[in-house]
Amino acid sequence: MTMDTVDPVLAEAETDTHRQLDALFRRQAPALVRFLSRRTGREEAQDLAQEAFLRLTDAAGRKMLQKPEAYLARIARNLLRDRAKSVSGHRERTHAVLEPELHAAYDGDPHLVLEARQLLERHEAAVLKLKPKTREVYLRHRLDGQSYAEIAQALGIGVSAVEKHMMKAIAAVDRSLGRP
């Protein structure tokens, strides 16, 4: 397409959209990074903010956005939710469950027995430090073997709330046991 065939009205609208997005970025980027930093690390917050603006720019190219600030906020919340799900899934897959009956085999090494006891005590202490509802969700899932849906129904909360409690519990236990 040559410059002769470009619709001047379309070109002006595109330029206007770019100006609006640039102004929005200058106004909202610092606040968005602060918002995301409270929920992630600073470096990750900057990456998420960049991704949010990239998605906003893509959406603005496809359609006219009535409230770009609100759309940007929704994108940021969705990115946080997606991140939490992937982190939660990773922790669920890598989190070791302490089951005393499985770890109780005595092989005659008192040092190993002492280490196992200390690990179990640290795990129990971490669980006891959890908020009551988070502790109950964690214990129902880990000890009683209940599914998230069963826990949600028993406690009268949503499955997403159960997921959030489990993420908090797993993170606290991992921190207490010195896991990254």
Side-chain angles (χ1 to χ4, degrees):
M1 185 181 297
T2 65
M3 290 303 288
D4 299 334
T5 60
V6 172
D7 183 356
V9 174
L10 184 61
E12 180 61 34
E14 188 174 299
T15 303
D16 189 44
T17 300
H18 287 308
R19 279 192 215 116
Q20 289 174 347
L21 288 172
D22 184 57
L24 179 68
F25 177 79
R26 292 178 191 280
R27 278 192 325 269
Q28 297 292 322
L32 182 61
V33 170
R34 281 192 306 275
F35 168 77
L36 294 167
S37 291
R38 287 192 298 268
R39 289 151 180 85
T40 67
R42 176 85 176 155
E43 191 172 306
E44 188 169 4
Q46 290 173 338
D47 289 344
L48 288 172
Q50 182 177 0
E51 177 67 22
F53 275 105
L54 183 64
R55 290 184 184 190
L56 178 71
T57 302
D58 183 49
R62 288 182 277 121
K63 60 185 172 191
M64 206 54 187
L65 300 176
Q66 298 298 321
K67 297 180 181 177
E69 291 89 353
Y71 198 81
L72 179 64
R74 169 61 67 188
I75 292 169
R77 285 192 300 275
N78 288 344
L79 287 170
L80 284 172
R81 187 193 68 235
D82 293 346
R83 177 189 167 275
K85 283 182 180 178
S86 71
V87 168
S88 173
H90 173 73
R91 285 211 172 140
E92 274 292 317
R93 290 186 301 275
T94 61
H95 189 73
V97 178
L98 287 176
E99 296 181 28
E101 59 275 359
L102 294 178
H103 300 288
Y106 178 70
D107 66 354
D109 186 350
H111 181 69
L112 291 176
V113 171
L114 178 61
E115 281 183 2
R117 280 190 188 141
Q118 289 173 342
L119 180 62
L120 185 57
E121 287 170 3
R122 288 195 342 251
H123 183 265
E124 289 174 346
V127 171
L128 289 173
K129 288 180 186 175
L130 296 172
K131 292 182 179 179
K133 184 158 264 180
T134 301
R135 181 174 47 245
E136 183 174 2
V137 167
Y138 181 77
L139 293 175
R140 281 176 177 262
H141 182 66
R142 295 293 178 154
L143 291 181
D144 300 338
Q146 292 182 347
S147 71
Y148 285 8
E150 292 170 331
I151 296 168
Q153 185 177 17
L155 299 180
I157 59 177
V159 173
S160 64
V162 172
E163 290 172 350
K164 289 175 187 173
H165 283 293
M166 283 300 295
M167 286 186 330
K168 288 178 185 177
I170 291 168
V173 170
D174 282 349
R175 277 192 308 273
S176 177
L177 298 178
R179 295 182 181 142

